[in-house]
Amino acid sequence: MKRFALLLLLVGLVFTAAACKTSPNEGVRTGPEVGALAPDFTLLDTAGDKITLSDYRGQVVLLNFWATWCPPCRQEMPGIQDRYEIHRPDLVVLAVDNDESSVLVKDFAEDYQLTFNPLLDPNAEVQIMYQIRGYPTSMFVDENGFIQIVHIGLMTEAQLDDYLAEMGLAQSTASN
């Protein structure tokens, strides 16, 4: 009986120690909300290269969830392209397409003369992870990987400029 009690005590101590173990990210929320660490992902871009969100730590990242068939996405994409050109390399645009074919997304990128490669999200797995409910949805991720701004719906160029300024990427007066 003493062995059984000792075994129970030992098992209890092991579980207690495991539950008390701290991790470097303890207390850090992850998820698609302001103030949370942006969930990491790896997707292929239209050139076939693997792109991982966490590789862009140290830079501001605009995550733009979109689809080729979405009129507001089509309307805001030229403004995103313009701001990308103005602010790169400090701004990274990861435009995550909603489960469409590579050919369709490549044609869209050519038509809109995008100089960043949109990402392909087969089965919309990243869209599901980020709980995307409508298109377009944009999230601004800071240099440390935390979501600072979430914008659902069409983002005007003025809003985009304001968000970029909030992220520390104010447009220079020389380019105005």
Side-chain angles (χ1 to χ4, degrees):
M1 190 66 161
K2 284 185 179 182
R3 283 186 182 177
F4 182 71
L6 187 58
L7 180 62
L8 278 177
L9 179 62
L10 184 60
V11 168
L13 287 173
V14 168
F15 280 113
T16 301
C20 293
K21 182 180 178 192
T22 60
S23 70
N25 291 329
E26 183 176 326
V28 175
R29 294 174 297 157
T30 60
E33 63 185 41
V34 171
L37 187 63
D40 202 16
F41 61 84
T42 299
L43 292 173
L44 294 179
D45 67 13
T46 55
D49 297 321
K50 284 186 178 181
I51 304 297
T52 300
L53 174 60
S54 60
D55 288 347
Y56 296 100
R57 293 277 166 85
Q59 296 170 282
V60 172
V61 177
L62 167 54
L63 286 178
N64 180 256
F65 295 92
W66 66 287
T68 62
W69 48 261
C70 163
C73 301
R74 291 174 169 270
Q75 189 175 346
E76 76 176 9
M77 197 60 76
I80 292 171
Q81 170 59 38
D82 288 345
R83 293 345 179 258
Y84 171 71
E85 286 297 322
I86 290 167
H87 295 291
R88 73 179 189 179
D90 298 320
L91 174 65
V92 173
V93 174
L94 299 182
V96 181
D97 176 72
N98 178 38
D99 192 26
E100 295 180 287
S101 76
S102 176
V103 171
L104 192 60
V105 176
K106 282 181 186 179
D107 288 347
F108 180 94
E110 287 176 19
D111 290 346
Y112 283 81
Q113 299 176 351
L114 302 181
T115 56
F116 55 86
N117 287 331
L119 304 181
L120 305 172
D121 187 12
N123 303 313
E125 290 176 10
V126 173
Q127 314 259 339
I128 293 166
M129 178 190 325
Y130 275 81
Q131 302 173 14
I132 302 304
R133 301 285 185 258
Y135 300 104
T137 294
S138 295
M139 298 183 187
F140 293 80
V141 179
D142 69 17
E143 296 88 347
N144 298 311
F146 288 87
I147 298 170
Q148 297 300 320
I149 299 165
V150 175
H151 183 99
I152 300 171
L154 174 66
M155 185 170 42
T156 66
E157 290 187 25
Q159 288 171 318
L160 179 54
D161 289 336
D162 289 345
Y163 294 147
L164 290 171
E166 283 184 51
M167 299 300 295
L169 298 176
Q171 194 167 352
S172 70
T173 55
S175 61
N176 287 338

